[in-house]
Structures are given as C-alpha cells and as structure tokens.
Amino acid sequence: MTTPMPTAVIELRGLARTYPGPPPVSALRPADLVIGAGDYVAVTGPSGSGKSTLLHLIGLLDVPTAGSYLLDGVDTSALRDRDRSALRGSRIGFVFQSFHLLPYRTALENVQLAQLYNQTPRNIRQGTAADALHAVGLGHRLDALPTTLSGGECQRVAIARALVSRPSLLLCDEPTGNLDSSNAAAVMALLDELNGAGFTIVVITHDAGVAAHASRTVGIRDGVLAETRTETEASHA
C-alpha cells in the first residue's frame, strides 16, 4: 500500500505581486516554492529585494496580483477577507523584530490575547498561554510586564504568543534584529529547538548567521526568488 505524500505547508505557484504605478513595480516576480512540514527555511536578500512583499503574501497580510498560494492545501486566493483572517489566525504564528507586545499587559496576558483570533475557549486560554511561556523558558515571568523584561525575554514572549495555538507555520521577520549577540544566540537556539520539535519555520533575514541555522536558504533579489542552499548542502557546511 502506498503511503500518501503529506500536504505541503506552503506552496507558491507563479505567485507574483505588482504595485501600481506609474510606473508599476514588480515587487515579486512569478515564483514557485514548496515548503513541507518540519522544514526550516531562511529567505535572504538585501533591502528592497522583495523580502517584505514575500512575507506579507505568505503571512496572508497582502494578496497577490498573479498566481496562487496554498497554505496547508487551502487555496488562499479563493478566500474572502474574513476567511483569510481566520486562516491566518489559526495556521500562522508571527514573530517580528519589534516584538509588538502590549506594554501594559503581562506576559501571560499578551500570549492569551493571541488566542482570541482562533476562537480558543476562554476557560483554557490561561492554561495554554502559561504552557507556551514555560516552553520558551519564561514560566517564572508570567506576571511580568514587557517594560520589565529584557529584549531577549520580550522576544521569547513573542515566540510563545506565536506558538500558543500550535500553528502550521512560524513566520519570523528579522527575529534577532533588536537583540544583542547573546540574546540573539539564545533566540536562535530556541527556534532550532522548536524546529526539532516539528514546527515549520520560515525566517526572513539579511543576517547570514541567522540564515545558517536553516536547513534551506532561498534568496530573493529584484523580486526574483531562487533557492541557494539545500538541506544536503547545509549538512556539509
């Protein structure tokens, strides 16, 4: 009996985004990309290369002008705005450079708030949020406000918020950009650990050291996407 192939988490088919002019700007030229469950992919490129456009499309924060994007086998191009938002809230966990924590909410409350978007029952939100913070090593800081946390701890809260709903994809945008080298190393070690636990991770970065943690690297320049390093090559690095 043949075992069915698992559905890709991300599948881009000729995906493109052009911003109207004059003149029109092709921020992402037709791109094909498949990212499977458990993959760890870095997307690299200089400023203005199209990284942010790709992030917004994969994160369902923007819509393409051509092609299609399947997330967990769901063709997102056919979805209404409300359904796109629901899919984003349930399947994608975001980690941003600037943390985006509410300063007057505790670490626990910040993580709990993420569950409002996927209709997690109220009676289990606190417990699952606490579990997520324990998983990132912040079980002792549940009641701390972001203003009392270090940059590394703030990013750990942001990661806990991203993973609390067990998303299909952790989408990280320059996750170490606001951290010193010690905290950056700790955050990358945590992402490595999460990938080892089965999370699919895509990191958008210009930092070669961050990209080196991924098993695959995809470069983007002038809106053109191309794989530059595979898992086999990474294992021999």
Side-chain angles (χ1 to χ4, degrees):
M1 179 177 179
T2 303
T3 302
M5 293 294 291
T7 301
V9 174
I10 290 174
E11 186 172 358
L12 311 184
R13 300 174 178 172
L15 195 75
R17 181 68 168 98
T18 298
Y19 295 102
V25 176
S26 297
L28 180 67
R29 299 180 186 275
D32 298 307
L33 180 67
V34 176
I35 296 176
D39 276 358
Y40 191 169
V41 178
V43 178
T44 65
S47 296
S49 61
K51 296 195 307 296
S52 294
T53 297
L54 181 64
L55 168 76
H56 291 157
L57 291 171
I58 291 177
L60 297 177
L61 300 170
D62 196 4
V63 294
T65 48
S68 60
Y69 166 31
L70 279 68
L71 176 62
D72 280 343
V74 177
D75 187 349
T76 63
S77 60
L79 299 179
R80 297 173 297 177
D81 287 346
R82 181 178 63 186
D83 295 328
R84 287 169 60 85
S85 296
L87 187 66
R88 181 173 62 242
S90 63
R91 306 287 180 93
I92 303 175
F94 291 92
V95 180
F96 295 105
Q97 176 177 340
S98 299
F99 318 138
H100 295 313
L101 301 178
L102 297 178
Y104 302 111
R105 296 278 192 168
T106 66
L108 184 65
E109 289 169 337
N110 267 282
V111 176
Q112 281 182 260
L113 286 170
Q115 299 175 89
L116 294 176
Y117 302 103
N118 59 16
Q119 300 180 337
T120 301
R122 182 187 297 271
N123 63 322
I124 69 170
R125 288 177 196 161
Q126 183 170 323
T128 53
D131 288 344
L133 285 164
H134 279 281
V136 300
L138 288 179
H140 62 300
R141 300 290 266 158
L142 301 183
D143 297 322
L145 295 174
T147 52
T148 69
L149 298 173
S150 70
E153 287 175 326
C154 284
Q155 193 60 296
R156 284 175 176 267
V157 174
I159 292 171
R161 180 185 59 195
L163 63 84
V164 67
S165 301
R166 298 293 301 184
S168 303
L169 171 67
L170 285 180
L171 186 55
C172 308
D173 183 21
E174 301 286 3
T176 63
N178 282 341
L179 303 178
D180 60 34
S181 58
S182 177
N183 279 313
V187 165
M188 292 311 301
L190 175 58
L191 291 179
D192 292 347
E193 181 182 329
L194 292 171
N195 179 247
F199 280 95
T200 305
I201 299 177
V202 174
V203 178
I204 310 293
T205 185
H206 69 277
D207 187 327
V210 170
H213 285 256
S215 56
R216 295 170 57 193
T217 302
V218 176
I220 184 168
R221 183 177 291 271
D222 298 328
V224 178
L225 202 64
E227 188 142 2
T228 61
R229 188 185 64 150
T230 65
E231 188 169 7
T232 300
E233 291 167 330
S235 68
H236 290 88

